[in-house]
């Protein structure tokens, strides 16, 4: 069963061997519809994404900005369920052969059942889970089930994370570490870029896992900047916004495919 996480690790290693950062895209399941969401993931893979995170829509996405909240609302109003998230993972992975993760808050997994969730995600071909609000010290049961099914457990670190905590997280996690920061929201872009670079340096020093950065990256220039110091560049809101702004689903698919292509060029222009 270790093939799921192995595919993710191999994908990140391949990008490194090509002297570039991996491009990781985020899109919520069920947005604009379940079928439309699956097509959007295929489109970003087609455009050049290496990995896709499928968001499990949540009614109170405390860590997400207004763009992703809007998409989550559309998905929830459409009646999206965990079964639809699993179907999204299954069809996106089957169509592309590429690693597909689920990004979710802890509460839906807890309610659904850890064993059931991990078993179904592995059966769908999922590579693992990003769990932004699961404290590492409370994660043992989840990790036990994830390991049993060959799934990666990706934890999130922030600039405020102390070195001891980074060491704990990199030891407990698998696949990669998600380094979260803010660009163009808090402080100046330059200082936040430095903050993110410092966080990547400290996280790498704390363990062996690749470090991928979600920074509010929205264009090729920002992707290039982050690719200069990180193993992967994570882009979410920019893809969702392209879908939201499009006049119809066909235009939305073309827009996210095009953005993926631009960002894929950006992560390859490592200076």
């Amino acid at each position: 069963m270790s093939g799921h996480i192995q595919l993710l690790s191999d994908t990140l290693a391949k990008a490194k061997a090509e002297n570039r950062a991996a491009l990781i895209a985020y899109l919520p399941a069920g947005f604009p519809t379940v079928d439309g969401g699956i097509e959007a993931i295929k489109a970003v893979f087609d455009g050049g994404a290496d990995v896709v995170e499928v968001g499990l829509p949540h009614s109170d996405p405390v860590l997400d900005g207004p763009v992703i909240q809007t998409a989550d609302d559309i998905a929830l109003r459409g009646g999206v369920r965990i079964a639809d998230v699993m179907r999204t993972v299954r069809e996106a992975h089957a169509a592309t052969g590429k690693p597909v993760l689920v990004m979710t808050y802890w509460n839906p997994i807890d309610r659904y059942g850890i064993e059931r969730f991990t078993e179904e995600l592995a059966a769908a071909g999922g590579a693992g889970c990003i769990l932004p609000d699961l404290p590492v010290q409370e994660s043992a049961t989840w990790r036990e089930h994830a390991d049993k099914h060959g799934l990666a457990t990706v934890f999130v670190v922030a600039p405020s994370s102390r070195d001891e905590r980074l060491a704990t997280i990199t030891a407990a996690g698998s696949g990669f570490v998600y380094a979260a920061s803010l660009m163009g929201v808090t402080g100046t872009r330059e200082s936040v870029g430095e903050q993110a670079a410092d966080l990547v340096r400290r996280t790498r020093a704390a363990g062996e896992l690749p470090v991928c950065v979600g920074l509010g990256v929205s264009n090729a220039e920002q992707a290039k900047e982050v690719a200069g110091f990180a193993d992967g560049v994570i882009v979410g809101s920019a893809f969702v916004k392209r879908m939201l702004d499009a006049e119809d689903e066909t235009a939305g698919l073309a827009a996210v495919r095009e953005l993926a292509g631009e960002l894929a060029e950006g992560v390859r222009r490592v200076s």
Side-chain angles (χ1 to χ4, degrees):
M1 295 299 289
S2 63
H4 307 293
I5 188 173
Q6 193 62 50
L7 177 62
L8 176 63
S9 299
D10 289 350
T11 300
L12 293 170
K14 181 173 180 285
K16 187 175 184 179
E18 293 171 0
N19 191 34
R20 65 179 181 86
L23 174 60
I24 303 175
Y26 166 94
L27 285 163
F31 168 72
T33 60
V34 176
D35 289 344
I38 293 166
E39 292 308 311
I41 294 168
K42 292 179 190 173
V44 297
F45 272 136
D46 192 40
D50 298 292
V51 179
V52 168
E53 303 170 5
V54 176
L56 195 160
H58 195 272
S59 55
D60 185 26
V62 288
L63 302 175
D64 292 310
V67 171
I68 289 171
Q69 285 186 20
T70 300
D72 277 5
D73 286 345
I74 291 167
L76 291 166
R77 283 204 305 272
V80 71
R81 305 181 70 81
I82 287 181
D84 300 310
V85 177
M86 297 299 179
R87 186 187 143 215
T88 300
V89 171
R90 181 182 298 107
E91 295 193 16
H93 174 65
T96 63
K98 294 185 177 177
V100 181
L101 296 145
V102 168
M103 185 165 190
T104 178
Y105 294 97
W106 180 245
N107 193 12
I109 295 179
D110 201 30
R111 285 206 312 264
Y112 196 72
I114 299 172
E115 172 60 21
R116 182 183 175 198
F117 190 94
T118 51
E119 192 175 309
E120 289 182 8
L121 183 57
C129 254
I130 301 165
L131 301 162
D133 65 339
L134 177 64
V136 66
Q137 64 271 19
E138 295 172 22
S139 67
T141 304
W142 160 266
R143 286 187 285 125
E144 182 187 323
H145 287 288
D147 290 348
K148 184 168 82 173
H149 293 293
L151 298 169
T153 298
V154 178
F155 289 111
V156 179
V157 298
S160 57
S161 302
R162 297 178 183 276
D163 289 353
E164 313 88 83
R165 180 166 170 74
L166 294 179
T168 304
I169 286 173
T170 51
S174 51
F176 63 91
V177 177
Y178 187 124
S181 194
L182 296 169
M183 186 150 67
V185 178
T186 306
T188 65
R189 193 169 149 275
E190 287 75 17
S191 68
V192 177
E194 285 166 23
Q195 208 176 21
D198 180 61
L199 176 58
V200 170
R201 182 186 58 72
R202 292 194 298 119
T203 307
R204 280 192 180 137
E208 302 291 312
L209 291 176
V211 185
C212 303
V213 175
L215 255 178
V217 174
S218 61
N219 60 47
E221 280 308 303
Q222 290 169 331
K224 179 186 177 185
E225 180 185 355
V226 175
F229 59 79
D231 298 297
V233 179
I234 302 167
V235 181
S237 295
F239 282 113
V240 175
K241 191 169 188 313
R242 292 278 179 112
M243 294 288 288
L244 284 169
D245 290 348
E247 59 188 34
D248 58 36
E249 195 176 300
T250 305
L253 295 177
V256 294
R257 186 182 293 108
E258 179 185 41
L259 177 59
E262 292 166 8
L263 293 165
E265 283 296 306
V267 299
R268 282 171 173 79
R269 296 204 302 267
V270 180
S271 47

